[in-house]
Amino acid sequence: MFTSFILLLLNLDSLKSINHLSDLKWKHRVLVVVTNEKEEIKDLIKFHGIELNERELLVIQLDDEKAFIDNTQMSKRFSQSILKKVKNIPHEVYFVLIGKDGRVKNLFSKNTGMNEIFLEVDKMPMRINEM
């Protein structure tokens, strides 16, 4: 299953073709993680790959004004689309959950466990239909 998550990332119409957050709309839920710690993101994907894959949840690292998917820096246009989406969030927010419809669903602090985020996703109407 973890391998299929990696394949999901590699097959996202190739990372280079993703130029805007809207390119992911209706295909993936997005979990934006606001951090400059690449290892944290790597560990999060490593330990929760199966759950992320099951929920079609793509992890995007937001470091300052740069967005990364799978440790690959995304285009300036893509990064700006993420920044625009999260521009009014409080500084203590660490996770931003965005639904397949492209709307922010919830904000979470760094102390939030991934299981809490997964439960939030599992309550979404589209996710309920998927299950």
Side-chain angles (χ1 to χ4, degrees):
M1 281 277 199
F2 182 70
T3 305
S4 62
F5 179 74
I6 298 300
L7 292 175
L8 171 71
L9 289 178
L10 296 176
N11 290 329
L12 279 175
D13 304 323
S14 124
L15 293 179
K16 297 291 183 202
S17 68
I18 302 172
N19 294 308
H20 196 277
L21 182 59
S22 63
D23 294 341
L24 302 172
K25 197 171 182 179
W26 304 117
K27 298 174 189 167
H28 301 279
R29 293 173 185 89
V30 173
L31 184 63
V32 179
V33 185
V34 183
T35 183
N36 61 357
E37 296 294 326
K38 291 190 184 339
E39 287 302 314
E40 286 181 30
I41 302 301
K42 200 182 277 187
D43 289 346
L44 183 140
I45 292 170
K46 178 181 176 182
F47 295 120
H48 300 286
I50 293 170
E51 295 92 344
L52 293 165
N53 189 36
E54 286 174 354
R55 291 165 180 84
E56 298 177 336
L57 195 55
L58 180 65
V59 177
I60 298 175
Q61 177 192 358
L62 184 61
D63 179 0
D64 213 9
E65 295 189 1
K66 297 176 188 146
F68 298 84
I69 297 177
D70 197 28
N71 227 8
T72 300
Q73 185 174 339
M74 301 304 288
S75 71
K76 185 173 183 170
R77 183 169 183 249
F78 180 83
S79 297
Q80 288 173 339
S81 72
I82 296 290
L83 287 167
K84 183 177 179 183
K85 183 63 75 175
V86 302
K87 70 180 175 185
N88 294 322
I89 65 167
H91 292 289
E92 63 272 6
V93 170
Y94 187 74
F95 296 107
V96 179
L97 179 60
I98 301 172
K100 284 186 174 183
D101 62 359
R103 297 171 65 196
V104 173
K105 299 300 182 181
N106 212 334
L107 309 173
F108 302 93
S109 71
K110 186 171 183 154
N111 298 330
T112 304
M114 287 303 296
N115 286 334
E116 186 176 336
I117 295 171
F118 295 145
L119 287 173
E120 187 73 21
V121 171
D122 291 345
K123 291 189 283 184
M124 294 177 177
M126 285 185 71
R127 174 67 179 146
I128 291 169
N129 286 338
E130 292 167 1
M131 293 188 290

